[in-house]
Amino acid sequence: MKFLAKKSHLSPALTAAKFVVPAKPAVAIAGCFLLRLKDNNLEITANDLTGLGLCLNIKVEGEENGEIAVAAADFTEAVSNALGDELTISATGLNMVVSWGEERDSDLPGRSPEDFIKTPDIEPDNYITLKVQALAYLLSKVAFAASKNSDNRPSLTGILFESEESRLVSVGTDSHRLSRVYVQPEAEEPFSFSRSSIIPPRAIQALLQATNAVGDSEASVAMGFSETHLKFQTPGVKVVAKLLEGPYPAWRPVIPKKLPISIKFNTAEMLEVLQSVNVAADKATHNARLTIQDSIVRISAVGSRRIREKISCVYENPGSSEPLHLGVNVSYLIEILKICGSEETEILVNGEHSLCEILPAGGDSELLFLLMLIRLAE
């Protein structure tokens, strides 16, 4: 195998592929890329042995077709550290050489491509097509709410995909907070999705990194689902991943039908005071109290020290002039407001204990957040 490649093209592709390779592989071959050259197309394949596989393609100047497995970390580092943009990569037997000039090269031991652990192929029976940007938007709005701990309920570490009225609805929750977003599939593309599939966020992250590396960031993603696996594909990237096993919590009944109490405020102003409060809040609980009365939100917390802040708001509480007290995890609230991303935000509640609904002010019904309220001692 022999080809010429630009470091500025090859290095980002290797970095993206390395995302799925285990940092400490149980066996050496598990830490490898499979490189396959056919004419002017270099195919780079990687997997993590837990069901996530990535294959990306870049254009090179091919001289001799072939294939070899090579340690992902070593090859990525060798290319990254090469002191020139014009690279020649060649493999003879199980030896690879990366060179960037006369007597300027790096030798790497290779492995037999026959030993490489292949990513399973799947036969999807459900289909969705989204733009890469739409999938990135979806991930940015719901992944933060997924659980970071898989010990008790592994399904909560995933992102739920379902269909609703010819739209894709996606949900993330860790049982303390919930995010839901609707995304419109591409018009005139296949939309046949009747499953409830729990997607590992790393599969979407791998696709986004790879599409950015190979120039597919404006492309459409053909998304296919079987009972156990998913396949994401663009012109230059393919991702296969094992779906997470359920059940996923029934999220629709959790969303309140009508919450009569409304608090609207400037998002940037609220973020500024919440971040000030969070510095002093208890580092274990991040608890804070919001007291709303007479168009003022007062925020207080006691941790390393006591702190009080306030901002103005538009407050509607039909039938009551009494102050409203809400206990929140201020760190969670900060994260939601940042991800909400609107100039103004509205919080809706039914009372002091249960949950609050957080929406971008202005009626963007595509996006919704829920946050459990906390009972605080008086």
Side-chain angles (χ1 to χ4, degrees), residues 357-372:
E357 188 173 300
I358 304 171
L359 303 167
D364 182 1
S365 60
E366 307 300 307
L367 189 59
L368 174 146
F369 304 98
L370 298 180
L371 179 62
M372 296 298 296

Side-chain angles (χ1 to χ4, degrees), residues 130 133-145 159-164 167-173 178-185 204 248 251-252 255 339-340 358-360 364-370:
L130 294 180
Q133 300 99 314
L135 196 57
Y137 170 81
L138 180 156
L139 183 72
S140 72
K141 299 303 181 185
V142 300
F144 80 97
I159 297 171
L160 181 69
F161 278 19
E162 293 183 339
S163 64
E164 187 175 302
R167 296 181 297 175
L168 176 65
V169 56
S170 183
V171 175
T173 184
L178 180 145
S179 175
R180 184 223 65 199
V181 63
Y182 289 105
V183 178
Q184 191 66 46
I204 304 177
Y248 201 82
W251 60 273
R252 286 182 175 86
I255 298 177
I339 290 168
C340 193
I358 304 171
L359 303 167
D364 182 1
S365 60
E366 307 300 307
L367 189 59
L368 174 146
F369 304 98
L370 298 180

Side-chain angles (χ1 to χ4, degrees), residues 44-361:
I44 305 167
T45 303
N47 63 58
D48 70 354
L49 301 186
T50 67
L52 175 60
L54 168 69
C55 179
L56 56 82
N57 296 268
I58 61 170
K59 294 300 179 182
V60 296
E61 188 177 332
E63 294 189 2
E64 182 181 343
N65 291 345
E67 60 181 357
I68 191 172
V70 62
D74 292 345
F75 186 40
T76 303
E77 183 179 2
V79 170
S80 176
N81 292 334
L83 299 179
D85 194 46
E86 302 292 337
L87 305 180
T88 300
I89 290 94
S90 59
T92 303
L94 296 181
N95 184 63
M96 172 177 279
V97 178
V98 178
S99 60
W100 52 96
E102 186 176 353
E103 296 185 5
R104 306 180 74 188
D105 54 38
S106 178
D107 288 357
L108 299 169
R111 291 181 175 272
S112 170
E114 299 299 321
D115 296 334
F116 188 78
I117 302 165
K118 305 299 190 296
T119 302
D121 200 7
I122 68 166
E123 296 293 335
D125 54 18
N126 278 237
Y127 302 91
I128 309 169
T129 301
L130 294 180
K131 286 288 190 181
V132 170
Q133 300 99 314
L135 196 57
Y137 170 81
L138 180 156
L139 183 72
S140 72
K141 299 303 181 185
V142 300
F144 80 97
S147 175
K148 306 304 184 288
N149 186 344
S150 62
D151 292 344
N152 296 323
R153 300 182 68 179
S155 64
L156 292 185
T157 65
I159 297 171
L160 181 69
F161 278 19
E162 293 183 339
S163 64
E164 187 175 302
E165 298 177 352
S166 299
R167 296 181 297 175
L168 176 65
V169 56
S170 183
V171 175
T173 184
D174 61 2
S175 76
H176 300 289
R177 53 192 170 166
L178 180 145
S179 175
R180 184 223 65 199
V181 63
Y182 289 105
V183 178
Q184 191 66 46
E186 285 293 281
E188 301 179 359
E189 294 289 346
F191 182 80
S192 174
F193 190 67
S194 57
R195 296 187 181 279
S196 290
S197 298
I198 308 173
I199 316 300
R202 274 175 56 82
I204 304 177
Q205 292 165 351
L207 178 87
L208 296 178
Q209 291 192 33
T211 52
N212 185 61
V214 305
D216 277 359
S217 56
E218 302 293 324
S220 294
V221 185
M223 305 162 62
F225 299 83
S226 71
E227 186 174 343
T228 58
H229 286 76
L230 65 82
K231 179 166 70 175
F232 295 161
Q233 190 149 11
T234 68
V237 178
K238 180 175 73 172
V239 172
V240 174
K242 186 177 181 180
L243 297 171
L244 298 177
E245 296 183 1
Y248 201 82
W251 60 273
R252 286 182 175 86
V254 176
I255 298 177
K257 298 298 182 185
K258 186 176 182 181
L259 296 172
I261 305 172
S262 169
I263 308 112
K264 294 181 185 177
F265 48 82
N266 180 278
T267 308
E269 290 180 7
M270 179 62 90
L271 278 170
E272 185 177 15
V273 299
L274 289 177
Q275 287 165 339
S276 175
V277 168
N278 198 33
V279 171
D282 185 283
K283 296 300 183 286
T285 65
H286 298 279
N287 287 349
R289 183 189 303 275
L290 277 59
T291 300
I292 306 97
Q293 188 178 31
D294 299 330
S295 300
I296 297 292
V297 182
R298 293 176 172 82
I299 306 106
S300 61
V302 178
S304 57
R305 54 189 169 86
R306 182 184 177 189
I307 185 169
R308 294 185 296 177
E309 278 284 2
K310 66 178 182 178
I311 66 165
S312 61
C313 70
V314 177
Y315 179 44
E316 297 178 8
N317 188 356
S320 176
S321 59
E322 295 297 315
L324 176 69
H325 304 283
L326 304 177
V328 299
N329 180 312
V330 68
S331 182
Y332 285 175
L333 183 56
I334 288 171
E335 192 168 23
I336 289 174
L337 294 182
K338 287 181 177 179
I339 290 168
C340 193
S342 57
E343 184 176 346
E344 289 190 323
T345 303
E346 181 176 19
I347 293 179
L348 298 171
V349 295
N350 192 33
E352 298 184 354
H353 310 298
S354 62
L355 54 78
C356 65
E357 188 173 300
I358 304 171
L359 303 167

